[in-house]
């Protein structure tokens, strides 16, 4: 009796794995070509020149960084702003950039992972992906160790590292579809 029920369980497991594989294939075949790529509409494009800054308060939200709920990431300043729908900054913090930067544009959060291993082999958490550049997926993440060390410049990585505390805030704020504005 035990032998026949283990055969049934094995058969059901094989069927479930095959079904999941088929559904994953269908999902990947139906992903729009522009998912994770910058939108090209003129109204959503971020400025390509450096956005004006408040010289007295360098942590102030840059002018011309969009409107409404959004994450603003300055490539030049290595800083992130989490901005509420009323255009008030909820949080701002410094980050450690990856070796591959996103291009200045407006994106949307396309996927998230609670805990994975980064492309550099580091265990990371609260991954929020929004772009790709040069074949590299780009997103925000926090190293489980809390490290924000600069990545190996010889490696092509897209992980913009935050502290664990800032990573928690990003994870809560930047759900699927939230706008991410990348500026210089």
């Amino acid at each position: 009796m035990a032998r026949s029920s283990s055969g049934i369980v094995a058969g059901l497991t094989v069927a479930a794995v095959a079904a999941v594989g088929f559904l994953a294939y269908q999902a990947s075949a139906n992903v729009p070509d522009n998912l994770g790529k910058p939108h090209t509409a003129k109204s959503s494009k971020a400025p390509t020149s450096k956005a004006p800054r408040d010289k007295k308060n360098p942590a102030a939200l840059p002018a011309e960084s969009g409107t409404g709920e959004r994450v603003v990431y300055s490539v030049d300043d290595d800083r992130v702003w989490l901005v509420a729908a009323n255009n008030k900054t909820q949080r701002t913090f410094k980050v450690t950039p990856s070796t591959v930067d996103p291009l200045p544009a407006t994106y949307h959060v396309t996927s998230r992972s609670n805990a994975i291993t980064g492309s550099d082999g580091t265990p990371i958490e609260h991954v929020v992906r929004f772009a790709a550049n040069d074949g590299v997926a780009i997103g925000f993440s926090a190293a489980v160790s809390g490290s924000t060390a600069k990545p190996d410049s010889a490696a092509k990585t897209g992980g913009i590292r935050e502290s664990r505390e800032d990573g928690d805030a990003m994870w809560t704020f930047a759900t699927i579809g939230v706008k991410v504005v990348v500026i210089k």
Side-chain angles (χ1 to χ4, degrees):
M1 186 81 171
R3 185 172 226 192
S4 65
S5 55
S6 67
I8 291 171
V9 170
L12 290 173
T13 302
V14 168
V17 169
V20 168
F22 175 74
L23 292 172
Y25 168 76
Q26 275 190 320
S28 68
N30 292 316
V31 173
D33 289 339
N34 64 353
L35 189 64
K37 294 182 181 167
H39 296 285
T40 56
K42 288 183 182 176
S43 63
S44 66
K45 189 172 182 192
T48 54
S49 61
K50 187 158 176 117
R53 302 296 202 273
D54 181 340
K55 292 181 187 202
K56 292 181 183 177
N57 183 6
L61 181 66
E64 301 175 27
S65 64
T67 60
E69 182 182 56
R70 66 199 182 280
V71 174
V72 176
Y73 172 48
S74 170
V75 175
D76 288 354
D77 296 329
D78 300 325
R79 179 170 287 280
V80 169
W81 292 263
L82 305 180
V83 184
N86 63 2
N87 291 312
K88 302 266 187 205
T89 300
Q90 291 185 338
R91 185 183 191 100
T92 184
F93 50 90
K94 294 289 276 181
V95 295
T96 302
S98 57
T99 59
V100 178
D101 286 330
L103 299 173
T106 298
Y107 303 87
H108 289 88
V109 174
T110 56
S111 69
R112 297 167 19 118
S113 297
N114 191 37
I116 62 170
T117 300
S119 57
D120 62 354
T122 302
I124 56 176
E125 65 183 1
H126 297 157
V127 180
V128 175
R129 293 177 206 86
F130 63 91
N133 187 6
D134 198 21
V136 177
I138 298 174
F140 302 104
S141 64
V144 173
S145 68
S147 171
T148 56
K150 289 190 176 203
D152 176 1
S153 61
K156 288 176 79 173
T157 63
I160 302 162
R161 292 288 162 81
E162 315 157 303
S163 71
R164 290 187 81 188
E165 183 179 315
D166 293 331
D168 288 344
M170 177 69 77
W171 181 256
T172 301
F173 184 88
T175 57
I176 299 292
V178 167
K179 187 172 23 175
V180 178
V181 179
V182 177
I183 60 174
K184 286 188 172 198

